[in-house]
């Protein structure tokens, strides 16, 4: 495995681990200030929406503050949907470096998230598209697109379910 | 389609003694499957049921597959521009005819045995036709009634119902307030979200016009938005209006007749609303009272039995598909004035995503509360849900705001914390459950 492949894989694994272990601040630190976090909605049975500005998304956060909003709400313990918090296990696989251009890297991965909560166990899948940038020798996420393949959604969907 | 008639005394389910200060609903209305079966046959198949918005079937051949109660139907745009709605089942052996929820097909060919139907429902092709299965005998079954009100398409399986306009009645001006925001009308924005809810459809109906929960369930949303804005990252149209959540603003609730209900709350920062850019135009085109309602009153409208129209932080069509007593599937669409600027459209969508989705930061909390309410309703030994707030203070007929806009509610209440609007909902529900004339 090349160094870059290993480095990218470690970052994506680390994100999954931080989410499952509720280490929110360290999770947010993986993202740059101007990072985009995008979960499109489904435009039809076969295609998601593809213009995040002018079409409906499930989540579309245009900077790290959007992730901070989510964590603020979870940590407030005042969100009905987030108390009690669902348990999650992320299994990330198929990590591939798609493109390297200086300090910028594009990578894809697949993720299965097993959730346990009021509705019992739910297992759902996503495709991940990452844009990463090496900053001061460290890889950071500048953009993450999550194609959540489930359509008729059961229960709340928050950043730790994805 | 169910034929069963429940054995319960229906009148005993609604303890309606307003003059004694009493209005309670037996929680069995949420949990009893026999009651649900009777809702399907007595209510869902006998009222005007929201199907789709006309922009979802804009062109000849566009179809939209949905359900009336538990019966699949599809709306199809005809060559002459009119709409028809058919039972979505092949006349031969019942396979669904539309491969997608939404699509375009000027003829539909059943993918099972290849029978073909024209846009107008005529059966024009039977594979290996023989005596007894001649194509001329197998046209699609058109539903009894189909009417649109300003772009909103409704159908009824029973021909014996009043006109859609009469059915909507006092709700019409509330719909108009959305439609007049653009001279070109409204359009559904691409994308949608469907979520399954483990709760009764009437709990969703109640929630959509329940002002009383806002300052508890959505307190965290207001705090989250306040924390965001304190960082100064979100200004202008990017702000999400949340001032109403803490309370202390003028509000009202109405029972509009035929089970329809609505609420409004005064916006504290109307200038961040996506429609604000159209203020000058609206002031030229509309009356001052209409402009005031559009710009400064956040509004939720529930149309009995299956659709809600929201014009609050963003604009939404929320459609219910009741599946059983304990489950309702909900699909939400962002509906927007055609021709608005990209900036307004983007602002409208981001506010929608913040609040209105199961992946958002408010609707997800609503669903959790609704599901808990349903689960608590399983406790038959404590059978009454209370709808008493405002019972001593409500106004029969129109309050001053209703008179000014020009609609005639059954009941007005000067606080969205009040619950008297549900009385009309449950009275209409009871009337239909007893098989009395729909409207």
């Amino acid at each position: 495995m090349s160094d870059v492949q290993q480095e990218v894989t470690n970052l994506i694994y680390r994100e999954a681990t931080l989410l499952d272990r509720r280490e929110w601040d360290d999770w947010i630190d993986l993202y740059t200030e101007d990072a985009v976090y995008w979960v499109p909605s489904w435009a039809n049975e076969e295609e998601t929406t593809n213009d995040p500005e002018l079409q409906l998304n499930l989540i579309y956060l245009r900077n790290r503050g959007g992730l901070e909003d989510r964590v603020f709400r979870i940590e407030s313990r005042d969100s009905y949907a987030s108390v009690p918090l669902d348990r999650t296990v992320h299994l990330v696989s198929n990590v591939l470096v798609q493109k390297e251009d200086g300090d910028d890297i594009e990578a894809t991965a697949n993720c299965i998230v097993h959730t346990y909560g009021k509705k019992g166990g739910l297992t759902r899948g996503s495709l991940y598209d990452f844009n990463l940038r090496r900053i001061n020798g460290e890889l950071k996420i500048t953009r993450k697109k999550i194609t959540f393949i489930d359509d008729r959604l059961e229960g709340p969907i928050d950043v730790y379910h994805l | 389609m169910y034929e069963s008639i429940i054995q319960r005394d229906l009148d005993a389910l609604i303890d309606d003694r307003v003059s004694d200060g009493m209005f309670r609903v037996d929680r069995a209305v949420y949990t009893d499957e026999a009651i649900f079966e009777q809702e399907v046959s007595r209510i869902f198949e006998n009222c005007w049921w929201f199907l789709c918005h006309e922009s979802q079937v804009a062109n000849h051949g566009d179809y939209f597959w949905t359900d009336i109660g538990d019966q699949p139907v599809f709306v199809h745009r005809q060559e002459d521009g009119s709409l028809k709605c058919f039972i979505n089942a092949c006349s031969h052996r019942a396979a669904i005819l539309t491969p997608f929820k939404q699509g375009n097909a000027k003829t539909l060919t059943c993918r099972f045995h290849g029978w073909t139907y024209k846009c107008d429902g005529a059966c024009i092709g039977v594979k290996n036709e023989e005596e007894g299965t001649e194509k001329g005998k197998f046209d699609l079954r058109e539903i009894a009634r189909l009417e649109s009100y300003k772009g909103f398409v409704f159908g009824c399986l029973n021909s014996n119902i009043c006109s859609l306009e009469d059915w909507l009645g006092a709700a019409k001006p509330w719909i108009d307030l959305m439609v007049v925001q653009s001279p070109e009308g409204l359009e559904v924005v691409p994308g949608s979200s469907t979520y399954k809810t483990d709760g009764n459809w009437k709990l969703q109906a109640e929630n959509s016009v329940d002002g009383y929960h806002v300052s508890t369930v959505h307190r965290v949303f207001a705090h989250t938005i306040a924390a965001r804005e304190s960082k100064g990252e979100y200004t202008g149209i990017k702000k999400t209006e949340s001032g109403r959540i803490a309370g202390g603003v003028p509000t009202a609730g109405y029972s509009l007749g035929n089970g329809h209900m609505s609420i409004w709350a005064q916006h504290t920062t109307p200038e961040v609303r996506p429609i604000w850019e159209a203020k000058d135009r609206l002031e030229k085109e509309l009356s001052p009272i209409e402009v005031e309602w559009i710009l400064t009153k956040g509004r939720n409208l529930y149309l009995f039995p299956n659709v809600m129209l929201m014009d609050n932080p963003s604009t939404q069509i929320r459609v219910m598909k009741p599946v059983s007593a304990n489950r309702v599937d909900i699909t939400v669409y962002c509906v927007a004035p055609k021709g608005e600027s990209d900036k307004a459209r983007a602002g409208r969508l981001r506010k929608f995503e913040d609040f209105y989705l199961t992946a958002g930061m408010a609707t997800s909390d609503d669903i959790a509360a609704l599901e808990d309410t349903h689960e608590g309703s399983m406790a038959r030994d404590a059978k009454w849900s209370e709808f008493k707030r405002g019972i001593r203070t409500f106004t029969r007929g129109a309050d001053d705001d209703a008179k000014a806009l020009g609609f005639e509610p059954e009941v007005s209440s000067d606080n969205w914390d009040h619950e008297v609007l549900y009385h009309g909902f449950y009275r209409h529900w009871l009337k239909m459950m007893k098989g009395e004339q729909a409207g």
Side-chain angles (χ1 to χ4, degrees):
Chain A
M1 197 181 279
S2 74
D3 288 351
V4 171
Q5 173 74 28
Q6 187 65 54
E7 200 181 359
V8 168
T9 304
N10 285 352
L11 174 69
I12 298 174
Y13 282 2
R14 182 163 152 72
E15 180 182 36
T17 299
L18 292 172
L19 285 170
D20 290 338
R21 291 169 195 258
R22 315 299 181 215
E23 293 177 28
W24 307 120
D25 292 344
D26 289 345
W27 170 62
I28 285 178
D29 272 348
L30 301 178
Y31 287 79
T32 57
E33 282 286 349
D34 60 352
V36 171
Y37 183 96
W38 176 30
V39 189
S41 76
W42 286 91
N44 56 51
E45 287 85 342
E46 296 178 345
E47 296 160 312
T48 66
T49 51
N50 55 24
D51 178 354
E53 286 296 324
L54 298 178
Q55 297 178 334
L56 184 67
N57 312 290
L58 293 182
I59 301 179
Y60 179 48
L61 311 174
R62 291 138 299 154
N63 58 42
R64 197 166 73 177
L67 300 177
E68 290 165 359
D69 292 346
R70 298 278 167 161
V71 168
F72 177 93
R73 176 167 167 272
I74 294 164
E75 289 190 325
S76 74
R77 306 298 281 162
D78 195 28
S79 152
Y80 211 131
S82 324
V83 179
L85 206 56
D86 288 349
R87 305 166 197 166
T88 63
V89 174
H90 287 64
L91 285 178
V92 182
S93 184
N94 301 52
V95 178
L96 286 173
V97 174
Q98 299 287 357
K99 196 174 160 191
E100 252 190 284
D101 182 7
D103 288 333
D104 290 312
I105 296 167
E106 291 177 24
T108 57
N110 294 347
C111 188
I112 295 286
V113 182
H114 182 72
T115 305
Y116 184 84
K118 260 190 87 176
K119 292 169 188 285
L122 291 168
T123 300
R124 299 180 285 211
S126 291
L127 308 176
Y128 286 168
D129 287 89
F130 282 102
N131 287 47
L132 310 171
R133 185 173 302 144
R134 197 182 309 282
I135 299 169
N136 300 326
E138 202 180 352
L139 276 190
K140 295 278 185 188
I141 302 166
T142 58
R143 183 176 182 272
K144 183 179 183 184
K145 178 188 173 192
I146 301 171
T147 305
F148 191 60
I149 67 162
D150 292 49
D151 202 340
R152 265 198 299 169
L153 305 175
E154 200 148 349
I157 302 294
D158 209 335
V159 287
Y160 51 89
H161 294 107
L162 296 163
Chain B
M1 169 75 79
Y2 300 96
E3 296 297 341
S4 68
I5 300 298
I6 59 170
Q7 299 303 308
R8 285 176 179 275
D9 172 4
L10 287 163
D11 285 309
L13 294 169
I14 312 294
D15 186 10
D16 180 356
R17 291 176 290 133
V18 168
S19 53
D20 300 335
M22 173 63 73
F23 197 100
R24 303 184 294 186
V25 173
D26 188 329
R27 293 169 180 167
V29 304
Y30 306 124
T31 59
D32 185 332
E33 289 295 347
I35 291 177
F36 180 79
E37 289 183 11
Q38 186 149 322
E39 287 176 338
V40 174
S41 59
R42 290 275 174 90
I43 298 179
F44 301 163
E45 300 188 353
N46 290 291
C47 62
W48 283 109
W49 184 272
F50 177 75
L51 298 171
C52 63
H53 187 260
E54 286 204 19
S55 65
Q56 294 175 301
V57 282
N59 303 309
H60 172 211
D62 283 355
Y63 64 78
F64 189 94
W65 165 19
T66 182
D67 302 274
I68 298 180
D70 57 359
Q71 298 201 49
V73 300
F74 68 97
V75 177
H76 214 165
R77 179 71 71 176
Q78 304 296 300
E79 200 168 358
D80 66 3
S82 65
L83 293 172
K84 286 182 184 289
C85 181
F86 303 98
I87 296 289
N88 195 350
C90 182
S91 301
H92 175 220
R93 295 249 292 276
I96 292 285
L97 290 167
T98 54
F100 298 93
K101 173 104 183 158
Q102 233 182 305
N104 183 282
K106 293 186 179 67
T107 61
L108 280 163
T109 298
C110 179
R111 296 188 290 164
F112 194 6
H113 300 99
W115 290 27
T116 300
Y117 302 90
K118 246 173 69 177
C119 207
D120 64 2
C123 180
I124 54 168
V126 167
K127 188 177 70 174
N128 305 336
E129 196 173 23
E130 60 176 38
E131 193 181 343
T133 57
E134 296 90 348
K135 56 180 176 282
K137 297 178 180 170
F138 294 96
D139 293 350
L140 291 180
R141 172 76 174 263
E142 197 172 345
I143 68 165
R145 299 280 294 276
L146 185 77
E147 289 178 21
S148 288
Y149 181 73
K150 299 189 177 177
F152 294 89
V153 184
F154 294 74
C156 181
L157 295 177
N158 185 346
S159 59
N160 186 21
I161 189 167
C162 64
S163 70
L164 175 62
E165 286 216 29
D166 286 349
W167 169 264
L168 295 172
K172 282 192 297 179
W174 288 71
I175 301 172
D176 298 349
L177 288 174
M178 291 181 84
V179 175
V180 298
Q181 291 182 26
S182 164
E184 303 160 67
L186 302 174
E187 62 187 348
V188 171
V189 180
S192 68
S193 177
T194 298
Y195 44 94
K196 303 180 196 174
T197 303
D198 291 325
N200 188 269
W201 66 275
K202 295 186 290 302
L203 293 170
Q204 174 60 232
E206 290 170 17
N207 176 260
S208 65
V209 287
D210 181 298
Y212 194 33
H213 81 289
V214 172
S215 55
T216 43
V217 171
H218 301 314
R219 175 177 57 214
V220 64
F221 182 81
H223 289 166
T224 304
I225 297 305
R228 168 198 286 181
E229 289 177 0
S230 72
K231 293 182 236 167
E233 288 165 1
Y234 288 78
T235 55
I237 199 170
K238 288 186 179 170
K239 290 174 98 159
T240 280
E241 206 284 323
S242 60
R244 72 195 179 285
I245 291 173
V249 294
T251 60
Y254 303 95
S255 168
L256 298 171
N258 288 336
H260 313 315
M261 302 179 277
S262 59
I263 51 173
W264 61 259
Q266 197 75 21
H267 278 295
T268 53
T269 49
E271 67 281 4
V272 309
R273 309 196 69 210
I275 191 61
W276 190 256
E277 68 173 15
K279 183 170 179 281
D280 292 347
R281 177 176 56 75
L282 295 177
E283 282 170 348
K284 280 188 205 113
E285 291 171 357
L286 305 173
S287 69
I289 192 76
E290 287 172 301
V291 176
E292 183 203 322
W293 273 73
I294 288 169
L295 295 178
T296 67
K297 286 177 163 60
R299 307 174 308 281
N300 284 6
L301 172 66
Y302 166 76
L303 297 174
F304 190 93
N306 77 314
V307 68
M308 290 140 268
L309 305 177
M310 318 298 203
D311 187 351
N312 231 313
S314 184
T315 36
Q316 178 184 199
I317 304 177
R318 182 185 298 178
V319 191
M320 286 198 272
K321 179 188 174 179
V323 176
S324 63
N326 55 27
R327 193 176 127 201
V328 54
D329 290 354
I330 296 164
T331 301
V332 295
Y333 302 96
C334 182
V335 62
K338 281 185 188 168
E340 69 180 340
S341 71
D342 284 357
K343 191 178 166 197
R345 179 63 55 89
R348 186 182 299 279
L349 283 159
R350 301 299 86 77
K351 292 177 220 283
F352 192 106
E353 292 151 3
D354 270 348
F355 196 98
Y356 276 141
L357 293 164
T358 187
M361 297 189 292
T363 291
S364 49
D365 293 322
D366 283 320
I367 298 165
L370 188 164
E371 292 185 339
D372 262 11
T373 305
H374 188 88
E375 198 169 345
S377 299
M378 297 302 287
R380 285 181 299 283
D381 282 5
K383 75 174 183 176
W384 295 112
S385 274
E386 307 281 340
F387 295 90
K388 294 201 186 89
R389 293 179 55 83
I391 206 164
R392 306 281 185 197
T393 56
F394 68 85
T395 303
R396 289 190 193 282
D399 63 9
D400 290 343
D401 289 303
K403 281 179 197 154
L405 185 66
F407 66 97
E408 188 59 37
E410 290 176 340
V411 162
S412 308
S413 205
D414 63 0
N415 190 327
W416 76 348
D417 282 2
H418 289 170
E419 292 160 331
V420 289
L421 72 177
Y422 301 121
H423 301 174
F425 172 78
Y426 278 107
R427 285 182 193 131
H428 188 72
W429 177 87
L430 183 63
K431 188 174 146 192
M432 291 203 75
M433 284 292 276
K434 288 157 78 175
E436 292 165 16
Q437 180 55 34

